[in-house]
Structure formats: C-alpha cells, structure tokens
Amino acid sequence: MAKKRSCRRTDEENAAHSVAVRVRKMTDMQITEYLEEIRKKAYEEATDDARDTNKAICDSCAKNMPVEKVPTAQDFIDVLKKEKIPGIGAVTINKLLEVAKRYGFIQQVVAG
C-alpha cells in the first residue's frame, strides 16, 4: 500500500500525525512524563464527574426526606432501596444493613 500524500490528509489526520511525530521524537523520560500528565488529567476529570454525580444523588435523596426529622441510618437504607441507584442493588443494601446492625446504628428487631 502506498503512503498517503500529506496534501491529501484531512485536518483530523494531520493533527494525529503531528502528535505521533512529536511523541516519536520524545525521549523515554519525556514520554513517561507525557503519559503521567494525561493520566492525572483523566483522573481529575473522572473525580470531578463522580463528585457531580454524588451531589446530584444526595440532593435527590435530601428532597425526599422530611425537614423536621433528623435522618437515621434506617432512613438512609430506605432511600437506597427506593432510589434505585446504579451499582447499589439488593446485595449491597443487605451488606450495609448487616454492618449497621452489627455496630448499633440500627436496632435489631428480636422476634418473640
């Protein structure tokens, strides 16, 4: 296959080519620093997105709570059950419930 002439490359292809040439000319240390910089930026963006998502979920939960009542651990578990938050299913809720009971945040109901 023949090499594509630079005059026939699209702007997108030219931009990709420029980055590739710049990376090929870097030393090992420069490449390592460049990749670390990219990783840090991606991590910061992901962290910011997660904060925004968590704030939205918390705001949604707060709207469903009565103002005069101080929320309890049981209220928290009930909101988790009702809100259907992605990644928090029945198994996770049951594990949280067990821990809350074990450490006394929720009183265990004794049948008798």
Side-chain angles (χ1 to χ4, degrees):
M1 177 179 238
K3 181 178 172 184
K4 189 171 187 178
R5 303 183 128 221
S6 61
C7 64
R8 300 191 187 204
R9 279 189 258 170
T10 64
D11 290 339
E12 188 176 296
E13 289 172 328
N14 279 331
H17 177 73
S18 297
V19 171
V21 169
R22 190 177 73 221
V23 170
R24 280 196 296 269
K25 289 184 178 183
M26 290 180 179
T27 64
D28 289 347
M29 183 58 76
Q30 288 172 323
I31 291 172
T32 304
E33 290 171 358
Y34 177 69
L35 292 174
E36 185 63 22
E37 181 182 317
I38 291 171
R39 187 196 64 78
K40 281 182 183 178
K41 284 181 183 176
Y43 178 78
E44 289 170 1
E45 288 176 10
T47 304
D48 291 344
D49 290 346
R51 274 194 209 110
D52 294 344
T53 301
N54 288 341
K55 183 176 180 343
I57 290 171
C58 289
D59 290 346
S60 170
C61 293
K63 289 177 186 174
N64 294 328
M65 298 301 293
V67 175
E68 66 278 351
K69 181 182 174 191
V70 175
T72 64
Q74 185 61 52
D75 294 333
F76 176 69
I77 298 294
D78 293 340
V79 168
L80 288 177
K81 288 178 182 177
K82 188 170 60 171
E83 287 292 320
K84 305 286 187 214
I85 300 168
I88 302 179
V91 174
T92 304
I93 292 171
N94 286 334
K95 288 178 185 177
L96 290 171
L97 198 53
E98 284 180 27
V99 171
K101 286 178 182 177
R102 185 180 324 135
Y103 289 99
F105 293 105
I106 297 175
Q107 299 301 318
Q108 292 185 357
V109 177
V110 179

